[in-house]
Amino acid sequence: MTWFTNNYSDESQRFGSPFGHWSFCEDENYFDDLANVPRDAAVLSLRPTDCNWDALASLDALEEVTAAGLTKPQLKCLLGVKTLKRLRLWNMRQVDFTGIRQLDRLEELALFNVSGPKSLVDIAALPALRSLLIENMRSLDDWSALSAARGLQCLCISGGFVEVRPKVSSLAFLGDLDALRHLHVGYVNCTAAWPVFEGLARCAAIESVHVNSSSFSVDDMAYLDAIIPEEKQLEKRRHFVGGEDRQIATTLEAAKQLSGDRLEWEPRVKWQKDQPYTRRGPGKRDDVFAKLAAFEDRLHTVRDRVKQALAAGQSVREI
């Protein structure tokens, strides 16, 4: 397995984006009184303690906003700023995005710990949206509305590092995203039927895929291997083995070069859909190698069967 290293932009690292396709500014421009914001301000950071929210309506040059913990009335004022191109929201509950449709210039939307929506219909209707990052939205499990976001180029669905992961019942909508170039799916509770990534096979424009394997089974990862070239897969961590010098190996052959009689194995995947996760497991050298061999055998077998089925025009569900 190849480990990819990318020179992600500072702003993409700042809020956890796995691909540097975002253009948020790093500068934070705060004003306790929004009536004091210059009329030509293009970038602004908002807090719930700010006053004079009606002043936002007069800022006709405002293109980017970062906001945290806003109340419903404050969010309503913000969604009335029709010049916005980039919007980043943090730590908000019971959010209603009905008014977001009027932001017809909005290109990039990042939502962190924002809950409340039961549907993404309004977000998917944004005509200029090209990048969408949603982290830890636990009020949602149906993401199918995103199939209408036909101009979406960058999509990140993640649970961050919280204990309770957001639910994803299907990723079939990916097949409708003709413009999709970069995909990240990490730390989610995925209940979709295999093959989870079937829709992704129809994304002809895809350039990079980053998947956290603890959300998927070995068979899911094998299917991904079959449809996406390895050079487009970013840091897809299947397993590692640590030796006495804490080196990391991602294949059985590399693991055999490590020193020590006891190794630690952490595949962080499910063997099968209905079986529990395989967690970190220290053990004797030969026992760990046996587990790695079984892991790789399953991965390679399913991957090859999928490739053969696709080449023959057969349904992979029958293999």
Side-chain angles (χ1 to χ4, degrees):
M1 179 62 195
T2 300
W3 285 70
F4 250 67
T5 301
N6 282 273
N7 295 319
Y8 305 138
S9 61
D10 289 340
E11 61 269 20
S12 69
Q13 289 186 18
R14 187 173 175 220
F15 58 82
S17 174
F19 31 69
H21 204 257
W22 302 78
S23 55
F24 285 98
C25 295
E26 293 187 53
D27 296 334
E28 296 180 341
N29 300 315
Y30 286 107
F31 292 85
D32 293 334
D33 187 342
L34 299 183
N36 295 328
V37 180
R39 286 288 303 271
D40 61 350
V43 180
L44 183 62
S45 297
L46 299 173
R47 298 168 293 191
T49 54
D50 297 337
C51 61
N52 288 322
W53 282 77
D54 291 343
L56 289 177
S58 64
L59 303 179
D60 51 15
L62 192 58
E63 294 187 348
E64 177 181 324
V65 165
T66 296
L70 302 188
T71 65
K72 290 183 179 180
Q74 289 170 343
L75 179 61
K76 185 176 181 180
C77 288
L78 176 57
L79 296 184
V81 183
K82 297 183 179 181
T83 56
L84 286 182
K85 292 184 178 180
R86 297 176 296 278
L87 177 59
R88 178 168 44 190
L89 299 177
W90 296 77
N91 301 334
M92 299 172 61
R93 296 182 179 181
Q94 302 306 315
V95 176
D96 182 358
F97 282 114
T98 303
I100 203 171
R101 287 174 178 250
Q102 60 190 323
L103 301 183
D104 55 9
R105 301 183 190 180
L106 194 67
E107 298 177 358
E108 304 182 19
L109 177 62
L111 306 173
F112 300 88
N113 296 320
V114 174
S115 64
K118 300 297 182 182
S119 172
L120 296 175
V121 170
D122 296 301
I123 289 176
L126 293 168
L129 189 65
R130 69 184 183 93
S131 297
L132 175 63
L133 184 152
I134 300 180
E135 182 174 290
N136 195 26
M137 185 179 284
R138 287 176 283 175
S139 61
L140 187 71
D141 62 1
D142 182 4
W143 302 76
S144 60
L146 288 180
S147 62
R150 305 303 290 270
L152 202 60
Q153 297 180 32
C154 248
L155 175 62
C156 175
I157 300 172
S158 177
F161 296 97
V162 296
E163 187 67 24
V164 180
R165 301 181 177 192
K167 297 178 181 178
V168 176
S169 58
S170 175
L171 289 172
F173 68 87
L174 292 174
D176 296 321
L177 303 183
D178 302 330
L180 189 65
R181 296 168 55 195
H182 307 284
L183 174 68
H184 170 84
V185 183
Y187 298 103
V188 299
N189 178 17
C190 185
T191 60
W194 188 85
V196 173
F197 297 106
E198 188 170 22
L200 191 58
R202 300 194 295 275
C203 296
I206 200 73
E207 295 178 11
S208 68
V209 177
H210 181 288
V211 171
N212 176 266
S213 57
S214 68
S215 300
F216 303 98
S217 68
V218 176
D219 289 6
D220 293 328
M221 307 307 287
Y223 183 88
L224 192 62
D225 264 8
I227 65 169
I228 300 295
E230 185 171 294
E231 62 269 18
K232 294 185 178 183
Q233 298 182 41
L234 304 181
E235 203 177 36
K236 191 184 64 176
R237 188 178 307 180
R238 296 203 192 98
H239 57 261
F240 72 76
V241 179
E244 289 181 343
D245 49 1
R246 306 309 301 162
Q247 294 296 308
I248 293 176
T250 57
T251 66
L252 177 59
E253 290 305 313
K256 290 180 178 179
Q257 306 303 314
L258 299 177
S259 60
D261 294 330
R262 293 182 63 81
L263 302 175
E264 289 187 354
W265 180 51
E266 187 177 10
R268 287 188 176 274
V269 295
K270 290 184 275 190
W271 278 104
Q272 299 293 331
K273 196 67 182 175
D274 299 325
Q275 293 180 357
Y277 290 101
T278 303
R279 295 295 189 182
R280 180 189 297 270
K284 294 182 179 180
R285 189 179 184 90
D286 290 344
D287 292 340
V288 171
F289 288 164
K291 289 181 179 180
L292 280 173
F295 180 95
E296 291 196 350
D297 181 65
R298 177 71 183 183
L299 188 77
H300 297 160
T301 298
V302 175
R303 180 195 61 193
D304 293 345
R305 288 178 179 176
V306 168
K307 285 185 175 181
Q308 292 171 6
L310 293 176
Q314 300 173 348
S315 172
V316 297
R317 299 177 186 273
E318 300 175 358
I319 66 174

